[in-house]
Structures are given as structure tokens and as C-alpha cells.
Amino acid sequence: DPERDSFLYGTFPSNFSWGVATAAYQIEGAWNEDGKGPSIWDTFTHTPGRTYNNQTGDVTCDSYHRYEDDIAIMKEMGMKHYRFSIAWSRVFPDGTRNRINMAGVDYYHKLIDGLLAAGIQPMVTLYHWDLPQALQDMGGWDNDIMAVHFDNYADFCFNEYGSKVKLWITFNEPYVFTKVGLETGVHAPGLKHQGTTVYRAAHNVLKAHAKAWHTYNDRYRSTQKGKCGITLNCSWGQAATDSEEDKAAADRYMQFGFGWFAHPIFVNGDYPEVIKDKVMKKSLAQGLTTSRLPEFTEEEKQLLKGTSDFLGANYYTAVYVSAKERQAMPPGFFKDQDFMTTDDENWPTSGAGWMRPVPWGFRKFLNWINENFNKPVIYITENGVAEHSEDEPMFEDTWRIQYLTSHVNEMLKAYTLDGIDIRGYTYWSLMDNLEWAEGYASRFGLYYVDFKNPKRPRLPKESASVYAKVIRNNGFPEPASGMLW
Ligand code: PNW
């Protein structure tokens, strides 16, 4: 497929937004300072055996004290937006609006004000996986009262910061935090309730999202004039062969990964038919009398439909998918889906074991989203690659330069040749940080962070100046000299 490897010259429109992303637990540190309450990630990392070398986010990049350094390096690269998250338990220590921690509230004001002064637009994620522990103690996302607590928290943030923040993201990757937190148990809160809690939690997350979007829409939109969306992710699932079975399996892979959340929000207020069908059949085969997948009432469907002003999409990698019938017992989220995934030995590896760079998958992923969810406005809210290194800096990160430029180029094709409405691109991540259970050796940063140095210096890798050049050029203008870009 020659289209796959060809390079397209061209630029994005002048208002295209270039950014970088981080998340509170991964960069802030100060886990118990100034009145912050504990989150499920504090509990999880403080439990021996849960993370690589028992590493925690207690200090990490120390951005709670060093956010000015973060702003300075973004300004240096010419960044247009910064996607960061608010730590719910820094604002509401026990997760509820009963008690507000003003020091935490002020921290985000200082960060936002600093960004605006540097000409960088804040893009704020309300939930990037760090549920207040006090709410987990009530059952966490399995308890439907979470939608009310989340809405109160979102309402507070809109009211507090909304005159300055114009891009809101309710949730980051509900597919990952429900699956990995509640099904495989590799992330906080570390539960392995197979094939059950994952669906109920996702159901409550969708209701929480819808409630918060309506709060924004009804109470803040007319005065604040911002946008509120959600960030979803999936690897691109490429059918392993041209057989009808494998093509259906690949679509199922995408529906279970992405459509699970995108279909209710962007299509009709309800889950994709294939999910309802598969989970019902497996549930009955297991001897249950109802599906393990919860149902929305008609009223809930109406409340869910259309609740996103844009779609935040995260893309990292691709897999091959083939059909494979799974036995019913014991139940499991993956077994409901009846497929298997493989990767291609010819794809390069990366410093993160779960991903190989597959740039052409990015364009296919964007086209699949465009076709399935009514051509939404899209922001790429994450895309990136890691090296694996304990402490040793690897400044000559040619693999990241290759990853970044090839993925931005596929995005340019999606924009220019396929007509997809992409408004911005966000590299993950500004700097090396705590890669969740994988710890500090999995380094996604454009900037290297020395975690042994108490000052946590941020030092640019070569990719930082390449990204700065892409931003300056607003893409890849035709080279005047005929030299390769
Ligand atoms: C994202 N996948 O997680 C998260 O939003 C970030 O916090 C994280 O640091 C980053 O990606 C790098 O891992 C993902 O399996 C986890 O496709 C898994 C997948 C994608 C994203």
C-alpha cells in the first residue's frame, strides 16, 4: 500500500492547536501536602508489589512546586495548549463538596494564570484516574451515586476556573481505567471482578459524563463560551485477513474499545448492538437470567445522546484482530468479545512493552471514528512513544522524532485528503513522569526528567526541538530547496 509510506507535504489551518499532555498523579507529587486527600492511586502505589520497583507518585516531577518550570519549557517550544488534569482529591479531599481545600484550588489558579500569561491555552481533564479514596470506600465507580459526586466536582471546577478555561474534558480513557482497574487489576483500585464490575462502572461513568456536560451546557456555556468533551482511546484493530469473520472481529474490537463510550454519546444514547448482543448471549450461556451489561432507560438515553462538543482521541498503536470463539465459563470482559489480537514482528518495538509504532493505523483509526460517530470535531488528546531507561538520559531520541513526524503526517493526510475535522494535536508527554504501574523507566517525555535530583531538572531531548519546528511550520511545508524535510 503505497499511500501508507508516502510522505505528504502540507500545513494545517492557522488556528490549529499544538499541545502536550500530562496528568495530575503522574507529575504533581505533593501527594499529602496542603490538605490534599488521598486518591486510589496513593493507596495503590503505597501497597507493596503493585508497581514497578514499588515506585509511587509521592514526588514524581514535583510539578506542584515546579509548575513554572513546566510552563517555561512549553513556552520555549511554542506550545499553543497544555492538557493537564485536576486532582479531584486536591480540591475536594474526601471527594464530596462538603469540604473544599482552598490551597489546592489556588494551585490550579496559579497554573492556569501562568499558562495564559505565556500564551498557552489550558485544556483541562477533570478525571485522569485518581478517584478520591473516600469515594472508592463507598464502592467507587460501581456505585451510581458517583455520578452525583462527579457532577458536583465538575460544577465546582466550571464555576471556579471556567472564565479562564475554554476546553474541558470530563474523563480520560474510561476504557482503560475501567478495564485495567476493575477487570485485570493492574491499575488502581486493583480489582479483578471479571466480566461484571467493568460494565457497571462504565455505565456510571457514562451517566456521570452526561450529567456534567448538562451542567456545563445549562449553567455555564452561555457566559463562559467554552467546550466540553470526553477523551476516548483504542488501538487500531486491523482485520488479520480479508475474511468476513476477521473483518467482523476487527469491528467488534473497535466497538468494545471505543464504541462502548462513543456510541451512546455520539450516536443514539445506547451501546453498540454488537456489545448488547455478545454480552447477552454469553450471560445466558453462563446460566444468568439477565445480561451482565446494564441497560439505559429511555430517559437516560435522551440525557446521554449528544453530550460532547468534541471528541478527544488518544492513539498509540495498532493490532491485528482475528475471530476466535471463547468458552462461556468463567465470565470475562475479553471472553465476551470473541476475538484474538496479535502484532506484526515487522513493526518496530518501543520502550513500552504494549505498543509498537504503527503510523498508518492512526489514519485508519481517524477514518473509522469519522464514519462511525457522525463526523465529530476531533482533538487528538494523546499520541506518543517511550524509551525504556532507568536513569540514563537518551537525548538523541531518533525513534521519537520518527514517531512524532510520521504520526503527524498521517494526521495531515486524514485532515487534508480525507477531510476529517481535526482541530488540534497533543503529544504525550511534555516530560518523563510516573508511567502508572510501569513506573519511571518508561519515559514518554519530550523532556528528560532526572528523578534522582531533588530539583527534578527538565532537559530537552532532540525531539523537543523537532516538535517546536513542526509547530513553527504548522505542519510540513513543501521544502523550497527540494531537500527532504
Ligand atoms: C494513556 N492502550 O494510557 C494514559 O492516558 C496516560 O496517562 C499514559 O501515561 C499514556 O497513555 C501512556 O501509556 C494508555 O493499551 C494505556 O492502548 C493503554 C493504552 C493506551 C493509552
Side-chain angles (χ1 to χ4, degrees):
D1 185 348
E3 280 274 295
R4 283 190 183 179
D5 301 314
S6 64
F7 188 88
L8 179 72
Y9 289 106
T11 56
F12 290 90
S14 58
N15 58 356
F16 191 82
S17 195
W18 299 96
V20 282
T22 63
Y25 187 68
Q26 296 180 273
I27 67 158
E28 284 181 3
W31 75 279
N32 62 354
E33 264 180 67
D34 289 351
K36 176 181 168 290
S39 79
I40 56 174
W41 272 93
D42 294 309
T43 308
F44 191 75
T45 60
H46 294 160
T47 307
R50 294 299 208 167
T51 63
Y52 178 74
N53 290 345
N54 291 321
Q55 290 171 347
T56 74
D58 290 2
V59 182
T60 177
C61 305
D62 200 21
S63 288
Y64 185 68
H65 300 110
R66 300 178 193 282
Y67 65 93
E68 285 170 320
D69 297 355
D70 301 342
I71 297 170
I73 59 178
M74 282 186 268
K75 198 175 172 185
E76 178 93 26
M77 288 186 282
M79 220 52 73
K80 310 279 192 237
H81 72 264
Y82 177 39
R83 174 173 180 238
F84 64 93
S85 79
I86 294 178
W88 187 341
S89 68
R90 201 181 282 293
V91 176
F92 290 179
D94 70 1
T96 75
R97 63 180 175 195
N98 295 342
R99 200 154 52 82
I100 294 162
N101 178 35
M102 286 317 293
V105 174
D106 286 346
Y107 168 68
Y108 297 107
H109 273 301
K110 285 185 288 181
L111 172 59
I112 291 165
D113 293 345
L115 288 166
L116 293 173
I120 302 166
Q121 200 193 7
M123 176 190 266
V124 179
T125 310
L126 290 169
Y127 188 82
H128 203 122
W129 307 357
D130 45 356
L131 187 72
Q133 181 60 43
L135 297 182
Q136 185 61 43
D137 296 341
M138 305 175 190
W141 291 110
D142 198 10
N143 181 340
D144 32 2
I145 202 69
M146 286 310 120
V148 174
H149 292 306
F150 179 77
D151 183 44
N152 289 341
Y153 160 63
D155 189 354
F156 177 87
C157 292
F158 297 149
N159 186 55
E160 188 71 32
Y161 307 116
S163 64
K164 304 185 278 199
V165 173
K166 302 301 162 194
L167 287 173
W168 294 98
I169 293 165
T170 55
F171 288 92
N172 178 66
E173 301 185 346
Y175 170 69
V176 175
F177 77 78
T178 55
K179 176 186 80 168
V180 188
L182 307 168
E183 176 82 13
T184 67
V186 172
H187 281 183
L191 302 179
K192 297 183 185 178
H193 294 180
Q194 298 188 352
T196 53
T197 309
V198 66
Y199 292 120
R200 293 197 301 266
H203 204 69
N204 288 328
V205 167
L206 278 162
K207 290 200 263 187
H209 162 82
K211 220 169 162 46
W213 184 88
H214 281 287
T215 293
Y216 190 79
N217 198 47
D218 298 348
R219 305 186 49 189
Y220 298 102
R221 183 187 302 282
S222 63
T223 51
Q224 297 183 354
K225 302 188 165 42
K227 302 217 176 303
C228 180
I230 189 167
T231 281
L232 305 177
N233 77 293
C234 195
S235 304
W236 167 248
Q238 176 71 34
T241 72
D242 276 339
S243 75
E244 290 309 313
E245 290 76 17
D246 287 351
K247 283 196 272 187
D251 193 64
R252 212 153 57 235
Y253 174 89
M254 297 304 294
Q255 294 295 353
F256 267 91
F258 204 97
W260 188 13
F261 300 94
H263 197 275
I265 295 171
F266 292 91
V267 182
N268 68 351
D270 199 5
Y271 297 116
E273 287 302 318
V274 68
I275 300 186
K276 293 198 287 186
D277 184 54
K278 278 280 174 194
V279 184
M280 177 62 90
K281 282 194 181 126
K282 292 270 172 180
S283 299
L284 297 179
Q286 282 146 1
L288 299 170
T289 51
T290 55
S291 177
R292 283 174 282 102
L293 183 75
E295 282 176 26
F296 293 114
T297 64
E298 280 312 311
E299 194 188 347
E300 286 169 341
K301 287 180 195 169
Q302 290 312 313
L303 280 173
L304 252 167
K305 193 182 159 188
T307 55
S308 205
D309 304 327
F310 62 88
L311 203 166
N314 295 352
Y315 175 83
Y316 285 89
T317 188
V319 291
Y320 281 115
V321 187
S322 35
K324 187 175 169 69
E325 186 80 16
R326 304 279 179 183
Q327 285 182 340
M329 289 298 275
F333 175 66
F334 294 102
K335 293 168 73 182
D336 287 337
Q337 307 177 36
D338 284 336
F339 58 62
M340 64 176 262
T341 61
T342 48
D343 53 15
D344 187 330
E345 291 289 308
N346 297 316
W347 295 343
T349 55
S350 80
W354 56 273
M355 62 164 287
R356 292 173 185 257
V358 189
W360 55 261
F362 192 19
R363 183 176 172 193
K364 293 204 176 232
F365 169 78
L366 289 166
N367 274 281
W368 183 85
I369 292 173
N370 203 46
E371 283 156 22
N372 280 269
F373 306 112
N374 294 321
K375 305 189 189 312
V377 168
I378 297 174
Y379 281 86
I380 306 307
T381 44
E382 287 179 31
N383 173 241
V385 71
E387 62 268 15
H388 185 93
S389 173
E390 295 294 337
D391 301 311
E392 203 55 36
M394 297 168 92
F395 292 122
E396 290 169 37
D397 56 343
T398 48
W399 55 87
R400 178 169 292 101
I401 293 168
Q402 174 60 28
Y403 186 97
L404 185 109
T405 53
S406 59
H407 283 76
V408 170
N409 203 252
E410 292 301 312
M411 178 176 74
L412 179 67
K413 292 176 191 169
Y415 177 80
T416 311
L417 307 178
D418 308 333
I420 301 177
D421 191 357
I422 309 166
R423 306 283 176 96
Y425 173 86
T426 316
Y427 181 80
W428 180 276
S429 176
L430 169 63
M431 58 192 162
D432 297 340
N433 56 55
L434 180 79
E435 179 52 17
W436 306 109
E438 315 265 328
Y440 291 103
S442 187
R443 294 173 176 269
F444 278 85
L446 295 168
Y447 276 66
Y448 167 83
V449 179
D450 182 356
F451 294 105
K452 289 238 151 78
N453 184 326
K455 290 196 157 72
R456 298 297 192 273
R458 290 103 160 95
L459 302 167
K461 302 177 192 175
E462 285 189 357
S463 54
S465 59
V466 171
Y467 190 28
K469 187 172 172 190
V470 171
I471 296 173
R472 258 194 329 273
N473 288 338
N474 205 22
F476 310 99
E478 193 89 44
S481 60
M483 267 168 46
L484 269 186
W485 188 80

